Amino acid sequence: MSARHQQFAGLYKDYAGKVLATLVRLLGDFDLAEEAMHEAFLVALETWQERQPPANPIAWLISTGRFKAIDTLRRRQRFGELEADVQDLIDELEQHNKTINQQSIEDDQLRMIFTCCHPAIDPQIQIPLTLRELCGLTTEEIASAYLLPVSTMAQRIVRGKHKIKQAKIPFVIPDLSDLPERLDAVLSVIYLVFNEGYSASSGDSLLRTELSSEAIRLARLVLNLIPDAEVMGLLALMLLHESRRNVRTDADGNIILMEDQDRSLWQHSYIEEGSALVRQALATRRFGAYTLQAAIAAVHAQSTGKTDWDQIIALYSVLLQIEPSPVIELNRAVAIAMRDGAQAGLNIVDAILARGDLAAYHKIYSTRGELLRRLGQHSEAILAFEQALKLVKQAPEQRFLQQKLVQLKNH
Amino acid sequence: MKFICLGYFDESKWAALSESEQARLMEECMAYDDELRRGKHFLGGEALGAATNAVTLKMKNGSVAVLDGPFTETKEVLGGILLLEAMDLNQAIALMSKHPGVKNGPFEIRCADAAVNQQIAERNLRFTE
């Protein structure tokens, strides 16, 4: 790729999502908008080389796209492919000289995210659709990040766009009465995108970093327009995780536990921003599960030397009331073990297993193994780690467990 | 924009209700339909006879076969059709979420196929002139 094309690819990534969202609103049609956007970028590629790019490239691209769409509509009208009411749209588009401002561009992006995450669309399709239409990722990039064939991913995206058109899903920000429920769906898509990027289990690591930063960007965008406590909580949670992205593993991809991580390498600006958001969200008293998880992450991130386990246990207890889940119970058991000793934690872990919960979850066995090791019950600890090893799928975690087993057996 | 709401229900569950319970549920649904009428959202509706009395036509080896019963053998069968006028899918969902019928069984919401309906309307005209 030439330098010029590379520079252009960067421009595309930065502007495509914004240009597309506004064009979809103006044109009321995804395919027409996408075609117009691509044509606008082609014109930009030709003209920005000779002359300086315009002062407001996004507004320029939107306006150029709009004229390209008018051309297309006129052409189709001539060939009799369209009904009469298209003339209204053309007239409307021609008269549309309202200046495109920052606010309208952001509103359109919000319309786009609520449309892509509409409950009428298959959840499997919501994520790739959001990444492509809003984040400007190409189908190839999304397919490679999710380790799926390009054709499969392309099919899903086409199905999603088809559904929006055929089922008459409107390009709007939901009414206030529907907003809480619809916002939940958007936040869960954002968090899924982030996790896909954060759990560096497979795939191209550069693309994965990009998924996480896109998720953070989306959360900022939503927060900007909907200052809801849970949006703050989710953004905080992702920032606090992201602050440790590069110190979670060593150069060979082996896991480094939080207590062994070099804290000076944590991204402190993210920690500060995340912690401030947590305080802000908690102060609203309308917070939920994301905020509580972020609060726990913030306590960990801020503790130098001595962790405030009382506070972490209290936060887990509230979280369990909002969202009863054996995984959260397991995390709380670890915190209890840190405060009250390994036996106290082990009792909870065994109670979870006795209920039949998490029987196929490798982390419950590795936790059990670690607690037994601390209690000096080495042969039982070995059995637990072996059980965990049988269930774990990711290579770094396998190596981590194998190390543990070697240490125990040499003891 | 016209939407067609297909109301499904479990006939055996319905039959198990007492007569007064059935009457109360019907009354609730009718009252909400009036609510829709007041908002100019109710375009019409048809209640369906029992699915056990349904007949399904199907091509079999090149000719039409008549089969006893509904097309799909599920517990929940199509019970009625409601024609709804709504701005877009969001409004259709909002309006039908409040319909008491949804307590009885799922609603499937489909938008009308404007192009085919246009053809149907044109055909209708030929016979009314």
Side-chain angles (χ1 to χ4, degrees), chain A residues 65-185:
Chain A
R66 186 159 54 90
F67 287 118
K68 288 289 170 190
I70 292 173
D71 290 348
T72 307
L73 288 171
R74 284 230 172 88
R75 208 162 46 236
R76 286 191 202 165
Q77 200 179 27
R78 258 202 308 282
F79 288 107
E81 290 172 35
L82 296 169
E83 309 94 66
D85 60 348
V86 170
Q87 189 54 47
D88 296 344
L89 177 60
I90 295 177
D91 293 344
E92 207 178 294
L93 283 171
E94 283 185 324
Q95 280 157 20
H96 188 278
N97 45 18
K98 195 184 86 183
T99 46
I100 307 270
N101 57 37
Q102 187 63 23
Q103 184 63 42
S104 77
I105 288 170
E106 285 188 351
D107 281 351
D108 287 339
Q109 287 208 285
L110 209 57
R111 286 189 181 93
M112 182 64 98
I113 194 169
F114 277 109
T115 304
C116 292
C117 301
H118 196 281
I121 300 171
D122 181 344
Q124 263 200 333
I125 295 176
Q126 292 177 5
I127 292 174
L129 203 58
T130 305
L131 288 172
R132 199 183 122 99
E133 308 305 328
L134 209 72
C135 304
L137 263 61
T138 64
T139 307
E140 289 75 16
E141 287 171 327
I142 303 166
S144 136
Y146 284 86
L147 299 175
L148 280 170
V150 176
S151 58
T152 307
M153 203 44 104
Q155 236 169 26
R156 284 188 191 174
I157 290 165
V158 167
R159 256 171 57 204
K161 281 193 284 190
H162 198 74
K163 180 82 188 227
I164 291 171
K165 191 171 179 171
Q166 300 299 332
K168 311 289 181 210
I169 295 174
F171 192 67
V172 293
I173 299 166
D175 292 341
L176 220 50
S177 59
D178 299 334
L179 195 57
E181 207 177 312
R182 296 285 309 278
L183 188 58
D184 278 353

Side-chain angles (χ1 to χ4, degrees), chain A residues 118-120 165-170 172-175 178 182, chain B residues 1-3 87-91 93-94 109-112 114:
Chain A
H118 196 281
K165 191 171 179 171
Q166 300 299 332
K168 311 289 181 210
I169 295 174
V172 293
I173 299 166
D175 292 341
D178 299 334
R182 296 285 309 278
Chain B
M1 200 171 283
K2 189 157 76 180
F3 288 88
M87 235 158 45
D88 53 40
L89 181 65
N90 281 8
Q91 195 186 24
I93 291 173
I109 302 177
R110 301 256 198 108
C111 56

Side-chain angles (χ1 to χ4, degrees), chain B residues 4-10 46 48 76-82 96 101-102 104-109:
Chain B
I4 295 111
C5 308
L6 307 173
Y8 288 80
F9 79 122
D10 182 341
E46 293 285 335
L48 269 58
E76 275 155 339
V77 296
L78 191 56
I81 294 170
L82 192 157
M96 293 311 286
V102 80
N104 235 9
F107 270 119
E108 180 177 323
I109 302 177

Side-chain angles (χ1 to χ4, degrees), chain A residues 267-283:
Chain A
Q267 283 241 27
H268 292 279
S269 61
Y270 282 174
I271 295 176
E272 276 159 35
E273 191 189 352
S275 305
L277 281 165
V278 168
R279 281 193 295 276
Q280 208 184 333
L282 287 172

Side-chain angles (χ1 to χ4, degrees), chain A residues 71 251 323 337 360 373:
Chain A
D71 290 348
E323 212 175 79
R373 186 189 68 77

